[in-house]
Each structure stands twice: as C-alpha cells, then as structure tokens.
C-alpha cells in the first residue's frame, strides 16, 4: 500500500512539474492575444507553435520547446515575454479537450489532492526517537512489574514468612491408591475400617453404598419422609416419657407418690368398671385378683399399726400431727384393702345408670361421699374441695369463684341454698358430658395441684372414692327424690367410715381444719382478693364508673394529667411577665437556672470533698512507722494473743518526718509528689512510632506473652518469629510460579536475539505505528 | 462417719499412647502469677544483655590473596563454595570452601585486576572479566590430573570490562565497560549493546525476579535501567554522587538499593525513580558494595570506612555494624544464600565470614532452646522502646576513626541544617523551600 502511495506521490510530483512547465510554455502565448495586429501569418505561426507545444505534452523533450525562433517584444530572463499576461491558463483548462478519457480524470483528482497536501515533515532526530522508544519500554516494564504489588504487600505485612518459599510439589495420587496402600493398625482404626467395609462404602464416584441404593429404590421419597417423621415422633415421645418417668422417679415426696399410687388405683378401678361392662369374664378374674389381695391383706399384719415404725409413730402421735396422719392413713389403707367387694348386679345398675355411668366419678361423687358423714367440718371441706376443683376448670373465671367460695361457707347450714348449689353442679355435669374426653385427665391433675395444706382431707377423700360405684348405687336405692336429698343421705352413709380415724383427735382436728381453711383463705386472698379491693378503692375514689379493667393505665393517665396541669401553669406566668419587662424575665430565668443547679448538686459539697481528698493525700504521703514485732517470739503466741505493748514499743521503728509538702501553703492545690525517679528511668518517655495513642502502647505492654501466663498453644502463637529460615537451605529469589503467576518472560534471550541491533529505520516505522495504535 | 475419698479422673492424667506428651497440670489463674509486666520487663532486659554478651559475629578469615579482594561471588547451588577475585595479577581468582575455611582452587585468570566475577545459574561454570579486556568462562570443577588450567571460553573485547553479571535463567550474561553488552554464551560478539551517554559503567546487575531487567551505574553519577527484551534503556536517574553498585531485592521485583559515594544507600522503586523509597545513612565513608539478604528483609553494605553494616530494608538506620582492627576498606560483600552468614572481601587481602545475627547460636537447636530464643526475641521486640533496653541493645563499640567521623559528620550536618534554617529565616517566605531528605539527593530523572 505504501508503495502505491509513493507511486501516487511521485506521479503527482511529476504532474506538478509538468504544470509548471506548461505555465512556462504558456507565457510566450500571452502576447498572442495582445498583439493581434501583427497579422495572420504571425498568428498562424503562433498557432502552429501552440499545437506543437501541446503535442509535446507527453513527449520527453519539453525543454527543447522553450527555444525561441524569433525575438519577442519583451525578453524576460526566462526567455519568455510576459507581456499582456492578463489571464493565465489554468491546469484544468488544458485538460479540458481530453476530458472524455477517464484516466485523466483520476489524474486530475490526484492533482487536486496533491495541491491540498502540505510538504512532508522532517523525520525526528535520533535522540527524540530513542526517548520515545524508552518511554514506551519503561511504561511496559512498569506494567509488568506492578503485578508484583499485591505479593510484595502481602509479604511485607505477613505475620510470618517461611523460607525457602517454594513448597514441595505434592504429587497427586488417586484416592484409591492411597486407600489401598494404607493398612489399619490400631484397634480403633481397624474398627472404623471394618465398619466402612461392611457398608461397602464406595471410595470414589458413585457415593452411595449398595444398601443405600437399594433403599432408595425401595422407598419413595414421601413414604420415606412420612416414616421418618413417624419415627421421629415416636422417638420424641419415648424420650419425653422416659424423661418424665425419670423425673417422677426422682421425686422424693412421699405424699406425691401416695397420690400417684392412688390415682393409679382409681384408674384401675375405672378400667375394671369398663371391663366389667365389656368383658364380664375377664372382670371376674380381676375381681378374684382383688379378692386375693384382700385375703393377703387380712392375713398379714401390714397396715395394722403394729410394726416398729407404727409403734414409734404412735408414741409421737400425741404431739405430732403428721405422725397421727400417717397412722390414720395406714389404717385407712388397711380398711380399704380389707373391704369386701360387692358385686353389683346388672339390673340394679341399669335404671339411672346410663346417664350416671358416663359421668366420671370425681368431684360430685366425692362430695356425695363426704356428705354421708355427720361431720360438718368434713362437709365444708368437701365443698371447698369441690370448689377448688371447679376453680381449676378453665372456663370458670376466678373472680366469681372466690365469691362462691365465700358463699359456700354459709350455704352449708341452709338446705335451700344447697339445692341451688347442686343445680349448679348439675349444669356442670351436663357440660362435662359434652367434653368427656378431657375428664379422664382432669381429676388427676386437679388432685395433684391441690394445696399442700388441704392435702390431708384430700387423701381421705380419695380413699373413699375408690368404693365409688357401690356407694352410689346404695345411695340411689335409699333415696332418689332430688339431688339435694341424695347429697344428704350420702353424707350420712359416709360418716361411719370417716369417723374412726378422725375420732380420737377431734378437737385438734377441728383446729387444724380451721387452720387449713385459714391458710386456704390466705392463699386465695394473697393471690387475688387483697390486691383487688385496694385497686377498687382507688378506682372508686378517682372515677366513679368502677372499671376493673386496666386500673394501672387509668392511674398513669391521671399522673399525666397532673403534669399537664403543672406545665400549663408556667406559660401563663410567663405570659404575664413578657409584656412588662424582658429583663425581669431573664433574671427570673437565671434564678431559675441557679435554682435548678443548686437542686441538682444539692448532695455534693465539692469543697468539702476536695479538702477531704487533700487530707487523705497528705496522710498517704506521710512516711509510715514500721512495726517489726514478731508475735510469738519470746512469749506465747496464738490466736487472740497479742504481743505485749512493751515489745511493740521496742520494735516499732518510727519513720522520720518527711520534707514539708509542696502544697502545704496552697489550700486549693494537691501536688502529687509520688513520681518515682528510679522507676522513671525505666519508663518510656515518648510514644513510639507505630502507635497513635498511649493506651495502645500500654495495652501491648500489658499483655504477657510468656508461657507462665499463657497456654502452650497461645505461647507458641505469640512468639512465632517473623522470618523462619531453614539452616542449610538455599533461599532462591521469589518466582512467579511460587506465587501462582505464570512467568512473564518466556526466554529473555530469544527475544533479545530476534532483535539484536538498535532499532533500524524499519523498526522505527513499526514503532511509530504502534504508538499510533 | 463419711469418708471423702480423693478421686481423680484418669482422663486427666493418662496418656492415650506412649508417644503422647505427659500432661502437666497448670493453673493459669492470673492471681497466682502476679507482676507479669515487671517480670517480663526483667526477662527482656536480661535477654537484651545476653544478646550483647553473646554477640560474637566474626567467624573466620580466609586469607590467601596477594592483593585486595576485588570481587566475590556465591555459588548458586552450594552454600559452602565462594569465589573471589583479587587485584593482583597472579593467582587472581580463588575458590573457597567455607566449611573447611580453605582455598580449594586457585586460577590465574587475568593479568591485572579481576574486575568482576559471576557464576552461571546452574553452578557448573563461572565467568570473570579483567583489566586485560577479556571475558573468560571457567569450569567450576578443577582440571583433571595433568590437565592444564584453561578457560572454557575466552572473549577478547575492544575495551576494558568493569563488571559482569549472569542472567538468572538463560545462558546469557551482561558485561559493562564503555557500554552494557549482553552476550550469548555461545557467541563471541554481544547480541546487543546498550548505551546512554558516554561514560564508563561500574557495574551491571540482572533483576533476579523479572530477569529481563538490568540495572547499571555509571561514573557520571547515574543509574540506568535496561530492558533486555526490548534492547533498550528504560530510565536514568542522576544522583548527587557516583553510585558504586546496585543490588536488586530478591523478593520484591521493583526494588533495588544503590550504594553511593556520598556515604548513603538509596533504595528505589524502579517505577518511581524521582524519590527513593528510603535513604539509608550510617556509613561515614563511600559505600562500595551492597548485597541483599535472600529473604529480602535486610541488606548488608560494605564501606570504605572499614566497616560493614546491616540495614533493615525499610529502616534508614543500620541495625548492626561489623568491624575488626585489621579489616581495611571493604570492597565487596555478599550475604550467603541461606541468609545466615555474610562474607566480605577487603583491601588487606582477606575474606571474612560473619554471622548475620551477631548473637545467634550456631548449630542445631533443641526445640526448647528455640522456643526460649523466640520468646526472648519477642520480649526484646516488645520492650524495645524502653530506655534501658534500648540503650543496651543499641550500644556498639566502634573504632575511634569511625566514631570521631560520626561526631564530625553530625556537627557538619547540624551546621548545614542551621545554615539552611538561617537562610530560610532571612529570605522571603517560601523562597527557600523545605526539601525532604529523600528528594535532596536525586538530581534528575531522565526519560
């Protein structure tokens, strides 16, 4: 391309020269137009000449044409006359007659281009070229070098550098080879190995053992998930029950265990009842078992209050309530166990049984049991118990319950009110019918949560409940008019059984019951009763519409109101002051400020504190007496013995009076004279360079690095040297391959050899091109 | 009566295998180990004192040359082998075994000075240049019995070569003299020669990391960098005074240090030559040679003031100065490839071997010994700013000449400073600008 361009330039240059020539040629023509008068012959000759000159346009001997055949009017030094040269021939004019040829059009175009082009610049001098060359090379090199920046930075900041840098190339061995070559040696390894091999754990690609594969095939995902969830649940349940059993087993309370036992017995009874209905034969067998147990009980002396323990308790019984109770319990147990079971006939039961049967024989029946006895205390307790149970029902709000509770005490004597109460029970019963499922769990729970104070009565009750069904039927036989009467009669029936254990200790018993009641009251009142009246009182004082809800909120509101009142007052005062005088206001504000400050710092007396501090400082700086007395030296020693005054006086070294304090006459200054010159010699005076705050520096000093204060691992970590070199190893310069770069220089020499000389003209051109690029 | 038995859990004291360490119960309760700072301070003080007590850096002197040792070269593969060239005409190159501390070979290499010596990267041969305008390649192993000691190749040049260095990877080497020539080992004419200006070049050094880079220093006070691949010089920096030699950092590709006649060393980043990264000043006479520790953290410099100094690469003051009574102007110095020892060749015909860490214990260390050493090192580092420790750690005995020179130069520097201060005080504000110490010494950077 360059060559073509050059050719073009050459052609253009040729043309330029030609055009100049033509101009020269033209010049003699100029007088032609001016001197028309010379005649035709002259004109003809001139025409001939012009033709010749045109004809010689493409000829070689152009200069010859300049020869002059005749002297012109005006001879210039260019042997052409310039006379009458008004108009000049333009190049294009000359070309016009041959315009039709296309080759000349191209020439013309080139001609115009050449005319527009300026002269070629001089080539740069050698130094300049070299400079450019160097600069480019330098930039290139800098770029290649800057890839080292991160590595250099990393190495400079590294906590530890280990030389030589190049690591041993770990040759990659397929994992199977490693495994095959390795043999288990220790028992643990062998065990693990066996386990792995048993499962045929694949080492490489498939990742699944054959068993796993099979299981995957066997079970769909959902199925597996479900099963897994099931198993999980079972496991969770199991663990929960286990934990519960463990917990229960740990409980030391005898009472609790008794309750649990009784609960179990009750449950067994219930089950038995059901069994009787469903499967009479099995029930009979069960019955026999119970009978047998009864026989055993009758035979043995167990629960007869005849054992060693029972005798000791009997001695204590007079004074100890608990002992008495324990004895009674034992007797009750005996009684219960020896009680003959009465098989209930089917026909007896079926009358009212259907509805009653469904009922759980808990509270109401208990009440009925208790009601049999003549003991009014017992009755009351039963009621209260019942109440307690009612209280625990979730639907019942606590408040009316308390009211009921208070009511129930009065109800006992009046039969009519009792009836109302029973009606309530009836209602509840019907409620319970609806939610039968819950009932199984409820009684146990309620019993467990009973107060410990009322425990005694409760246990007794429970003992009675076991003979539930039988009693019920009996009572039903006797009187079946109304619920109220049933209650009364059952009370009567219950009485003889209850009487025996309670008999002896009656007065005290009554007392205890009262106590119990009081306790129960107290608890209730503590929980609910007491706070409420107080609140109520407040509420009634403030707002008449006795709202129970959110009393606290109300209270808060009122406080805010009070504040509002206070704040609203102050602006009113100000508004009065503003129009009269602003200064006054300011004064007032200042005073106010002062007052506030005074109030804020009312507690601390700064001056007094300072004086105290100074006094302490003075005391502390005073040299102390040294007591060198050795207690027990030359006399008796020991705890409580002091060395004699004489001895103390003898061995007391009185400190010399120190120099007067510098702040002795300066009342508001404390000058610390503690600076230790000896210590100062070892202290750093100025903050060392990399630290920006003295605290940083102090912290570095205060952290010990020795193994006395640090664990071995920490010690090693803290004392790792900055640079580690292996003795006897040659440390080679860092390589690009060491740090993960591919080496940039393939072979420096080969590059050099390819361009051994200084840049030639050809290279320069290339270089220029590069720079342009 | 209930008897409480002492019981121990065997897990706490029984080893799993015989090879395990015995468990030693320790209580790290800080109340049981009070005064940690004062105790560590005392330990640091003792460690510093012991360091000074055990600071015996001089190991051996290798004598045999008949004239001043002009150049030294390390063997690239063997730590025990060192080559040296001397200024005398006969027996001018010697090869030494450091473990035996003996000369194992003597070569009559050149007539007159041996100006430069360098080993091939593989360690099989070495090159020497001398005043007799020749470059000679020698086998590292001596000649067999009955063979004559002859160079492998001899190149006759037109001018005197003043230095030589071998490429780190390729079979090429560079010589300097009138110009920097790069030679292929197989050819008798240089594959390229680079010039910039017309002055004699003292030394040339290949960059060990980016191996196509070269640095040279010339008598007209400049340092020139070349790119061998592009066969062109890159940049030139002109300093106050002549640079005797340069050394590239073997771990940081773009860093080199120049040993200057003006008693200082200048560490440059070759990408920014207008300001040296650090000016290292402690010598009291011209610095003649410099060599980096293979770890790139320190370098050693040899000076005309009859001492060698060890500088941390990033500090301006030296951490160590070595001298002996008999050691004269130190002409060349090398740090051995395992970074433990320093070799220096001096005017009075000896090569001396020094420990790089003056108080280091030589030989194999037990692990506890090493742990104690590391701990002491850390303690010294931790308390290095405390005046007593600093005082002890920095104390060095110097020959009277150097000591008085230091005092003298301090006075001179102070006077210069005061003069500048006064000039600044009595001239128009801003007309005497503050020039940092680093910028002061760079006259110009020529592109």
């Amino acid at each position: 391309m360059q060559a073509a361009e050059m050719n073009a330039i050459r052609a253009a240059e040729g043309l330029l020269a030609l055009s100049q020539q033509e101009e020269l040629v033209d010049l003699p023509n100029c007088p032609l137009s001016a001197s028309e008068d010379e005649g035709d012959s002259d004109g003809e000759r001139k025409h001939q000449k012009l033709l010749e000159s045109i004809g010689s346009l493409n000829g070689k001997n152009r200069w010859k044409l300049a020869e002059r055949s005749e002297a012109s009017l005006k001879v210039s030094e260019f042997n052409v006359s310039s006379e009458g040269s008004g108009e000049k021939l333009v190049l294009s004019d000359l070309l016009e007659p041959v315009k039709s040829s296309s080759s000349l059009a191209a020439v013309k175009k080139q001609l115009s281009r050449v005319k527009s082009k300026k002269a070629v610049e001089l080539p740069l001098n050698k130094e300049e070229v070299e400079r450019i060359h160097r600069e480019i090379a330098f930039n290139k090199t800098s770029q290649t070098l800057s890839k080292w920046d991160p590595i250099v930075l990393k190495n400079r900041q590294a906590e530890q550098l280990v030389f030589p840098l190049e690591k041993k190339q770990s040759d990659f061995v397929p994992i199977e080879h490693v495994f095959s070559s390795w043999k288990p040696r220790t028992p643990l390894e062998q065990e693990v190995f066996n386990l792995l091999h048993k499962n045929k754990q694949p080492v490489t690609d498939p990742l699944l053992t054959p068993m796993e594969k099979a299981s995957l095939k066997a079970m769909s995902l959902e199925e597996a998930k479900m099963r897994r969830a099931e198993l999980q649940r079972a496991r969770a349940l199991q663990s929960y029950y286990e934990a519960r059993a463990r917990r229960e087993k740990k409980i030391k309370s005898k009472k609790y265990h008794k309750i649990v036992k009784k609960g179990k017995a009750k449950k067994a009874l219930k089950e038995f009842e059901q069994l009787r209905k469903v499967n009479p034969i099995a029930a009979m067998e069960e019955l026999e078992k119970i009978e047998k147990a009864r026989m055993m009980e009758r035979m043995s002396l167990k629960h007869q209050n005849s054992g060693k323990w029972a005798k000791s308790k009997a001695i204590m019984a007079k004074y100890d309530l608990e002992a008495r109770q324990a004895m009674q319990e034992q007797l009750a147990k005996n009684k219960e166990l020896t009680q003959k079971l009465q098989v209930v006939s089917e026909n007896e039961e079926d009358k009212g049984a259907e509805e009653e049967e469904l009922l759980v024989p808990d509270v109401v029946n208990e009440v009925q049991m208790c009601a049999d006895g003549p003991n009014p205390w017992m009755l009351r307790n039963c009621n209260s118990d019942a109440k307690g149970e009612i209280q625990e029902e979730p639907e019942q709000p606590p408040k009316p319950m308390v009211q009921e509770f208070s009511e129930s005490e009065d109800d006992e004597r009046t039969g009519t009110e009792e009836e109302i109460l029973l009606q309530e029970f009836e209602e509840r019963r019907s409620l319970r019918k609806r939610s039968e499922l819950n009932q199984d769990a409820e009684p146990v729970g309620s019993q467990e949560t009973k107060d410990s104070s009322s425990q005694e009565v409760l246990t007794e009750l429970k003992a009675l409940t076991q003979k539930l069904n039988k009693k019920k039927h009996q009572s039903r036989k006797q009187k079946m008019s109304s619920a109220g009467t049933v209650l009364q009669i059952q009370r009567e029936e219950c009485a003889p059984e209850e009487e025996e254990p309670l008999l002896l200790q009656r007065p005290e018993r009554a007392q205890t019951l009262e106590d119990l009641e009081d306790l129960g009251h107290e608890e209730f009142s503590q929980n609910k009763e007491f706070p409420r009246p107080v609140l109520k009182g407040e509420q009634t004082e403030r707002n008449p519409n006795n709202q129970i809800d959110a009393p606290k909120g109300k209270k808060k509101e009122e406080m805010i109101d009070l504040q509002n009142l206070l704040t609203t007052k102050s602006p009113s005062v100000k508004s009065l002051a503003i129009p009269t005088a602003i200064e006054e206001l300011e004064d007032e504000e200042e005073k106010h400020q002062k007052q506030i400050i005074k109030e804020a710092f009312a507690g601390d007396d700064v001056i007094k504190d300072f004086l105290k501090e100074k006094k302490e400082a003075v005391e502390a700086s005073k040299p102390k007496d040294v007591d060198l007395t050795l207690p027990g030296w030359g006399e008796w020693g020991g705890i409580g013995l002091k060395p004699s005054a004489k001895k103390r006086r003898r061995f007391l070294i009185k400190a010399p009076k120190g120099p007067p304090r510098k702040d002795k006459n300066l009342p508001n200054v404390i000058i610390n004279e503690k600076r230790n010159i000896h210590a100062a010699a070892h202290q750093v005076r100025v903050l060392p360079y990399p630290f920006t705050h003295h605290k940083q520096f102090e912290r570095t000093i205060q952290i010990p690095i020795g193994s006395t204060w640090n664990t071995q691992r920490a010690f090693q970590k803290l004392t790792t040297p900055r640079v580690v070199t292996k003795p006897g190893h040659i440390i080679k310069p860092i390589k690009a391959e060491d740090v993960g770069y591919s080496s940039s220089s393939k072979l420096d020499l080969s590059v050099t050899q390819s361009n051994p000389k200084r840049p030639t003209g050809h290279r320069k051109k290339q270089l220029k091109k590069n720079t342009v690029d | 009566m209930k008897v409480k038995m002492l019981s121990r859990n065997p897990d706490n004291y029984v080893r799993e295998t015989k090879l395990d360490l015995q468990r030693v119960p320790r209580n790290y309760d800080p109340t049981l180990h009070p005064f940690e700072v004062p105790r560590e301070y005392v330990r640091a003080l003792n460690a510093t004192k012991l360091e000074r007590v055990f600071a015996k850096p001089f190991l051996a002197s290798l004598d045999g040359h008949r004239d001043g040792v002009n150049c030294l070269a390390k063997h690239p593969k063997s730590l025990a082998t060192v080559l040296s060239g001397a200024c005398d005409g006969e027996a001018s190159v010697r090869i030494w075994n450091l473990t035996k501390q003996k000369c194992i070979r003597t070569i009559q290499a050149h007539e007159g000075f041996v100006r430069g010596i360098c080993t091939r990267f593989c360690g099989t041969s070495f090159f020497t240049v001398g005043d007799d305008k020749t470059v000679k390649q020698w086998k590292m192993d001596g000649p067999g019995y009955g063979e004559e000691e002859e160079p492998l190749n001899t190149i006759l040049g037109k001018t005197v070569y003043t230095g030589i260095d071998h490429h780190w990877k390729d079979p090429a080497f560079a010589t300097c003299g009138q110009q920097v020539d790069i030679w292929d080992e197989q050819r008798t004419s240089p594959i390229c020669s680079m010039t910039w200006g017309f002055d004699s070049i003292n030394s040339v050094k290949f960059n060990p990391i980016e191996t196509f880079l070269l640095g040279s220093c010339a008598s007209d006070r400049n340092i020139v960098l070349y790119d061998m691949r592009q066969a062109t010089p890159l940049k030139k920096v002109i300093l106050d005074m002549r640079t005797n030699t340069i050394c590239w950092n073997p771990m940081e590709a773009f860093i080199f240090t120049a040993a200057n006649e003006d008693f200082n060393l200048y560490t440059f980043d070759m990408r920014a030559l207008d300001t040296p990264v650090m000016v290292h000043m402690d010598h009291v006479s011209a610095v003649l040679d410099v060599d980096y520790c293979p770890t790139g953290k320190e370098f050693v410099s040899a000076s005309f003031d009859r001492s060698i100094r060890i500088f941390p690469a990033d500090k301006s003051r030296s951490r160590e100065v070595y001298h002996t009574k008999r050691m004269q102007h130190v002409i060349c110095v090398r740090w051995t490839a395992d970074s433990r020892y320093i070799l220096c060749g001096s005017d009075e015909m000896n090569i001396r071997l020094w420990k790089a860490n003056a108080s280091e214990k030589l030989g194999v260390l037990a692990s506890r010994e090493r742990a104690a050493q590391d701990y002491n090192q850390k303690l010294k580092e931790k308390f290095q700013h405390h005046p007593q420790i600093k005082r002890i750690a920095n104390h060095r005995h110097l020959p009277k000449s150097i000591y008085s020179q230091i005092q003298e130069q301090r006075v001179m520097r102070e006077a210069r400073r005061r003069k500048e201060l006064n000039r600044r005080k009595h001239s128009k504000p801003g007309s005497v600008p503050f020039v940092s110490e680093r910028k002061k010494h760079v006259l110009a950077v020529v592109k």
Side-chain angles (χ1 to χ4, degrees), chain A residues 66-120:
Chain A
E67 87 182 286
R68 204 173 42 182
S69 55
E70 191 197 3
S72 75
L73 294 177
K74 241 182 183 181
V75 182
S76 74
E77 51 183 339
F78 299 112
N79 53 4
V80 187
S81 73
S82 59
E83 194 183 35
S85 59
E87 68 245 31
K88 275 186 181 178
L89 261 181
V90 190
L91 271 173
S92 51
D93 291 345
L94 282 175
L95 291 170
E96 223 159 331
V98 276
K99 203 177 184 182
S100 58
S101 76
S102 58
S103 61
L104 270 177
V107 171
K108 198 181 160 194
K109 211 186 244 172
Q110 281 169 354
L111 202 66
S112 63
R113 201 188 296 160
V114 165
K115 274 185 120 182
S116 67
K117 226 169 198 179
K118 278 171 195 162
V120 181

Side-chain angles (χ1 to χ4, degrees), chain A residues 148 682 703 706 747-748 753, chain B residues 41 167 170 184 210-211 382:
Chain A
W148 288 98
H682 293 271
I703 297 167
L747 259 181
D748 302 337
Q753 274 167 342
Chain B
Y41 174 75
H167 193 278
D170 297 339
D184 190 346
E210 293 295 350
T211 47
K382 185 179 164 185

Side-chain angles (χ1 to χ4, degrees), chain A residues 469-597:
Chain A
N469 289 320
K470 173 185 67 184
K471 296 276 161 75
K472 224 197 303 175
H473 293 303
Q474 283 173 356
S475 65
R476 227 172 261 140
K477 264 188 231 166
Q478 284 164 2
K479 263 147 213 174
M480 280 305 299
S481 58
S482 71
T485 50
V486 168
L487 189 78
Q488 275 181 339
I489 283 148
Q490 276 178 343
R491 246 186 240 160
E492 279 171 7
E493 219 177 66
C494 203
E497 287 161 22
E498 290 293 297
E499 235 160 280
E500 269 183 2
L502 293 175
L503 207 61
L504 277 168
Q505 300 106 359
R506 186 149 262 225
E508 282 142 308
R509 171 88 188 154
Q511 215 176 6
T512 55
L513 276 173
E514 271 174 358
D515 288 349
L516 281 172
E517 224 173 315
D518 285 354
L519 273 173
H521 258 297
E522 268 175 17
E523 273 190 25
F524 276 120
S525 54
Q526 271 171 8
N527 291 339
K528 280 123 191 175
E529 287 280 281
F530 276 137
R532 233 160 246 180
V534 174
L535 285 176
K536 261 187 196 171
E538 282 176 2
Q539 280 156 14
T540 43
E541 272 175 46
R542 277 166 198 172
N543 41 348
N545 48 332
N546 249 340
Q547 279 190 354
I548 307 161
D549 298 333
K552 271 191 179 173
K554 265 278 164 296
K555 211 173 167 186
K556 233 176 201 171
E557 258 177 47
E558 233 141 284
M559 280 178 74
I560 289 159
D561 277 353
L562 209 69
Q563 279 179 344
N564 281 344
L565 276 172
L566 280 172
T567 47
T568 45
K569 256 185 188 173
S570 54
S572 67
V573 171
K574 270 185 188 172
S575 62
L576 279 172
I578 286 162
T580 51
I582 300 161
E583 285 171 20
E584 214 171 283
L585 181 80
E586 277 174 359
D587 271 3
E588 201 169 292
E589 269 189 356
E590 227 167 76
K591 259 186 203 169
H592 187 65
Q593 199 72 22
K594 271 184 184 173
Q595 191 68 25
I596 284 172
I597 288 165

Side-chain angles (χ1 to χ4, degrees), chain A residues 80 191 193 235 253 275 284 341 461 507 584 667 693 711 753:
Chain A
V80 187
E191 213 169 297
F193 208 67
R235 234 174 292 139
S253 158
L275 200 68
M284 282 303 283
L341 282 171
L461 281 172
E584 214 171 283
H693 197 263
T711 58
Q753 274 167 342

Side-chain angles (χ1 to χ4, degrees), chain A residues 143-161:
Chain A
Q143 265 181 4
T144 49
L145 282 176
S146 52
K147 77 169 178 188
W148 288 98
D149 270 333
I151 292 152
V152 167
L153 198 70
K154 201 189 88 194
N155 282 351
R156 278 182 188 169
Q157 291 170 343
E159 287 285 300
Q160 188 177 36
L161 281 174

Side-chain angles (χ1 to χ4, degrees), chain A residues 134 137 145 148-149 156 682 701 703 705-706 709-710 720 725 730-731 734 744 747-749 753 756, chain B residues 28 33 40-41 77 167 170 184 191-192 210-212 228 230 233 250 252 270-271 337 340 378 382 447:
Chain A
R134 283 196 299 261
L145 282 176
W148 288 98
D149 270 333
R156 278 182 188 169
H682 293 271
I701 292 298
I703 297 167
I705 52 174
W709 299 275
N710 293 298
T720 45
T725 54
I730 289 172
I731 302 166
I734 197 168
S744 63
L747 259 181
D748 302 337
L749 193 62
Q753 274 167 342
Chain B
Y28 292 105
H33 308 288
E40 289 217 315
Y41 174 75
K77 301 280 176 190
H167 193 278
D170 297 339
D184 190 346
I191 47 176
C192 75
E210 293 295 350
T211 47
F212 57 87
M228 183 178 132
Q230 296 173 52
E252 297 170 3
M270 74 146 277
R271 296 167 298 173
R340 305 241 154 172
K378 273 282 138 108
K382 185 179 164 185
K447 282 179 183 171

Side-chain angles (χ1 to χ4, degrees), chain B residues 140-304:
Chain B
M140 192 65 83
D141 305 322
Y145 180 74
E147 278 178 49
E148 257 186 73
E149 184 83 80
E150 269 186 343
L152 286 175
N153 292 314
T154 308
I155 301 165
L156 283 166
K158 285 171 202 138
T159 54
V160 176
Y161 299 109
T162 51
I164 187 169
D165 195 23
H166 200 279
H167 193 278
W168 287 81
K169 279 187 211 155
D170 297 339
F173 61 91
T175 58
C176 59
Q178 293 293 331
Q179 75 272 348
V180 172
D181 291 326
I182 291 168
W183 306 72
D184 190 346
E185 280 177 8
Q186 308 300 324
R187 298 189 189 183
T188 50
S189 58
I191 47 176
C192 75
S193 37
M194 298 176 280
T195 44
W196 191 352
F198 304 95
D199 219 325
S200 66
I201 295 160
N202 299 326
S203 83
V204 63
K205 289 280 168 72
F206 272 103
N207 188 322
I209 306 167
E210 293 295 350
T211 47
F212 57 87
L213 272 174
L214 291 115
S216 77
C217 35
S219 297
D220 57 352
R221 303 178 298 167
N222 56 29
I223 301 168
V224 189
L225 302 173
Y226 304 93
D227 189 334
M228 183 178 132
R229 293 186 304 184
Q230 296 173 52
T232 171
L234 299 174
K235 229 172 201 185
K236 178 155 86 169
V237 57
I238 303 172
L239 297 177
D240 260 348
M241 289 176 87
R242 194 182 80 151
T243 302
N244 283 316
T245 186
I246 67 162
C247 185
W248 293 91
N249 191 325
M251 290 295 148
E252 297 170 3
F254 40 80
I255 300 283
F256 69 88
T257 299
N260 203 283
E261 285 276 322
D262 66 354
F263 315 168
N264 292 340
L265 293 118
Y266 301 99
T267 297
F268 283 98
D269 183 335
M270 74 146 277
R271 296 167 298 173
L273 288 170
D274 50 346
T275 316
V277 177
M278 191 60 76
V279 179
H280 309 272
M281 34 174 53
D282 255 349
H283 281 297
V284 289
S285 190
V287 189
L288 298 182
D289 200 7
V290 60
D291 193 34
Y292 261 95
C293 172
T295 60
K297 298 279 174 198
E298 290 174 327
F299 61 81
V300 62
S301 63
S303 169
F304 199 74

